[in-house]
């Protein structure tokens, strides 16, 4: 019969893609991983990985096993948290993957509130443009710009928010303020590096002004905000971030705003863990409180 240690090693190999990285992840040597995988294959009577000098490739049997292994892993985590929670507060670590602006302007300034609620809960905030893999346990919770297309996830909308067209006061003094939408063709813009944007929804400039002249691109929303504020050009920025920056002026707010949504996504097997529930409740409270400013 398979045991939990073997399943843990198996999942590490599936998530890391090779035995060496899996060994580092779980704190054993490479030969231990190889030996236990061989034992598992003998127990199951099926090959789990095709081995080659380039690494390992999961077989159909491995893909069939992984969902069961993840459920067992999650049940063990839930059991540990449930028993511990009878005598102690919510505790442990939750990694939250979010878009950069959401992390910097909505979560980080209010994380002390979470600490006050749950002193033994540690929040790890991974603010990136790329999509974190919940199935590989790169994070327990993710905030995304659209629901994932498939997978065993629990998904619900957190809040809608606005993106608007902004320029700095110094830029407008130098170049003149556009009076009409047609005037925008004479101006230059800041935007995303398209191939590095985790979601197509991040790139709103193409929706507002197809063919705009772009003179600066960045994968970071904070870098774009800084460039616009410094007078580099016009840019589409998060209203909840730009509205508090007195260097910036919003242009055509009635006709040139784009609405987007933040979605809360959790792996179905982790949603019952007390630490994950506590972090998810915190996110919903923050967005509910800030809804009018978004």
């Amino acid at each position: 019969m398979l045991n939990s240690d073997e399943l843990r090693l198996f999942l590490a190999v599936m998530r890391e893609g090779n035995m060496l990285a899996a060994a580092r992840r779980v704190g054993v040597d490479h030969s231990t991983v190889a030996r236990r995988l061989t034992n598992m294959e003998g127990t199951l009577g099926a090959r789990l990985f095709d081995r080659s000098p380039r690494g390992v490739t999961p077989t159909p049997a491995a893909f069939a096993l992984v969902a069961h292994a993840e459920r067992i892993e999650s049940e063990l985590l839930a059991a540990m948290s449930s028993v511990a929670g009878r005598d102690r507060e919510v505790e442990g670590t939750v990694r939250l993957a979010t878009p950069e602006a959401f992390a910097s302007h909505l979560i980080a300034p209010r994380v002390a509130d979470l600490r006050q609620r749950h002193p033994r809960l540690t929040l790890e905030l991974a603010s990136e443009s790329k999509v974190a893999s919940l199935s590989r346990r790169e994070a327990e919770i993710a905030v995304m710009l659209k629901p994932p297309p498939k997978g065993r996830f629990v998904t619900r909308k957190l809040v809608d928010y606005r993106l608007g067209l902004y320029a700095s006061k110094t830029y407008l003094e130098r170049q003149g303020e556009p009076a009409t939408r047609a005037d925008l063709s004479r101006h230059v813009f800041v935007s995303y590096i398209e191939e590095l944007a985790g979601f197509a929804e991040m790139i709103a400039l193409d929706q507002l002004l197809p063919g705009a002249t772009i003179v600066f691109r960045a994968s970071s929303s904070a870098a774009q905000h800084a460039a616009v504020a410094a007078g580099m050009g016009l840019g589409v920025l998060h209203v909840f971030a730009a509205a508090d920056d007195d260097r910036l002026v919003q242009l055509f707010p009635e006709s040139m705003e784009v609405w987007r949504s933040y979605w809360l996504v959790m792996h179905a097997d982790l949603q019952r863990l007390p630490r994950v529930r506590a972090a998810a409740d915190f996110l919903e409270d923050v967005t509910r409180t800030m809804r009018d400013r978004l």
Side-chain angles (χ1 to χ4, degrees), residues 154-195:
V154 175
T155 304
R156 53 183 177 267
K157 183 188 284 190
L158 279 174
V159 71
D160 296 321
Y161 68 96
R162 292 169 294 151
L163 300 166
L165 183 64
Y166 284 86
S168 72
K169 294 175 182 177
T170 55
Y171 176 92
L172 296 177
E173 290 170 0
R174 186 175 70 247
Q175 301 293 340
E177 183 169 349
T180 67
R181 191 183 183 109
D183 293 339
L184 293 172
S185 62
R186 298 195 296 270
H187 292 268
V188 296
F189 293 83
V190 168
S191 189
Y192 277 97
I193 302 173
E194 294 187 10
E195 59 268 29

Side-chain angles (χ1 to χ4, degrees), residues 3-15 25-26 65-81 134-140 152 267-270 272-273 275:
N3 61 53
S4 59
D5 286 340
E6 289 174 337
L7 290 174
R8 178 168 169 252
L9 288 174
F10 164 73
L11 286 174
V13 175
M14 289 293 289
R15 291 164 183 166
R25 178 169 182 159
V26 299
L65 177 61
V66 69
H68 300 289
E70 287 184 339
R71 279 197 292 273
I72 292 169
E73 176 189 52
S74 298
E75 286 298 329
L76 288 171
L77 290 170
M80 292 169 62
S81 295
L134 296 180
S135 61
R136 293 185 61 197
R137 300 298 199 267
E138 292 177 352
E140 282 81 18
R152 300 187 65 252
H267 199 285
D269 294 337
L270 301 182
R272 292 174 292 170
L273 296 179
R275 58 187 171 85

Side-chain angles (χ1 to χ4, degrees), residues 127 165 186 191-192 217 263 266 283:
S127 54
L165 183 64
R186 298 195 296 270
S191 189
Y192 277 97
R217 297 182 188 271
W263 295 81
M266 297 178 287
L283 294 179

Side-chain angles (χ1 to χ4, degrees), residues 105 166-170 221-231 237-250 293:
H105 293 276
Y166 284 86
S168 72
K169 294 175 182 177
T170 55
S221 60
Q224 293 175 58
H225 184 124
V228 173
L237 305 177
H238 296 79
V239 172
F240 62 77
D244 292 332
D245 191 334
D246 59 11
R247 298 171 297 175
L248 297 172
V249 175
Q250 186 174 5
R293 294 192 57 199

Side-chain angles (χ1 to χ4, degrees), residues 4 67 80 85 91 107 148 154 157 168 177 207-208 255 281 286:
S4 59
M80 292 169 62
E91 64 178 338
I107 301 305
V154 175
K157 183 188 284 190
S168 72
E177 183 169 349
Q207 180 177 339
L208 289 174
S255 61
D281 289 345
V286 168

